[in-house]
Amino acid sequence: MATRIRLRRMGANKRPFYRVVVADQRAPRDGRFIEVIGKYHPLQDPSLIEIDEERALHWLRVGAQPSNQVRNLLRKLGVWDRFAAERPGVLKQRGLATDRTGKPEAPKQSKKAQAKAAEAAKAAEARPAEPPTQAAPTEPAANEPVQADVAPEEPAEA
């Protein structure tokens, strides 16, 4: 049975709150579920997010796939990072691994792309560095006052 960790909508019209549930992926959004592992109230200021970390980790370990919104909530609580630290290889294969900022990691480059990047780096190193050019002193514009070279006055000692 394929399981999902997802949100179940509850509450009145225009006043939603959600329960974070583990459900069979074939079940309807607000239908049958296996276990309630948390709640999410988006209208509160700040939003209330309560998820049982141990149960969430348990379900992630046994293969439950979180929905996109639940994955975002797990990231905010740090549960997703704990799970990713346990199984980095699996998450990279699925394209779900993220860096510290929460952005997806860059995919690995193909061998051709790696070779092309290496050639570009060698070409950049092989080019002789141009000596820095010194800027010629510019002449003042016609409407700017010309300063005469005057030595600064020394303060008088008292």
Side-chain angles (χ1 to χ4, degrees):
M1 168 172 59
T3 55
R4 289 245 177 212
I5 303 174
R6 62 184 183 200
L7 298 176
R8 180 177 193 217
R9 189 185 191 281
M10 301 184 80
N13 287 339
K14 300 187 181 188
R15 301 293 302 161
F17 66 91
Y18 300 89
R19 288 192 180 153
V20 181
V21 298
V22 178
D24 183 357
Q25 71 178 15
R26 297 169 293 186
R29 178 190 74 180
D30 299 333
R32 200 171 67 183
F33 59 91
I34 299 169
E35 181 180 0
V36 176
I37 61 171
K39 58 185 174 181
Y40 170 53
H41 293 265
L43 297 181
Q44 287 185 2
D45 191 25
S47 299
L48 172 71
I49 304 169
E50 289 181 6
I51 298 177
D52 183 357
E53 293 182 22
E54 292 307 315
R55 293 308 297 165
L57 283 172
H58 163 76
W59 282 106
L60 290 169
R61 288 177 189 135
V62 296
Q65 294 296 309
S67 67
N68 290 335
Q69 183 61 40
V70 171
R71 187 178 301 122
N72 291 337
L73 296 175
L74 293 174
R75 262 194 204 113
K76 287 181 182 179
L77 295 176
V79 177
W80 187 256
D81 295 332
R82 284 179 52 192
F83 177 65
E86 292 175 7
R87 306 183 66 188
V90 173
L91 293 177
K92 283 184 181 179
Q93 287 175 353
R94 294 181 186 168
L96 302 175
T98 58
D99 61 8
R100 292 181 188 180
T101 62
K103 296 179 183 175
E105 289 183 350
K108 290 185 177 180
Q109 293 182 337
S110 67
K111 290 182 180 178
K112 284 184 180 179
Q114 288 175 354
K116 195 172 187 180
E119 287 178 21
K122 285 181 183 177
E125 290 176 5
R127 275 189 244 138
E130 296 180 14
T133 58
Q134 293 182 356
T138 58
E139 295 195 19
N143 59 357
E144 289 183 16
V146 178
Q147 281 188 337
D149 292 336
V150 179
E153 293 182 22
E154 304 245 346
E157 293 183 23

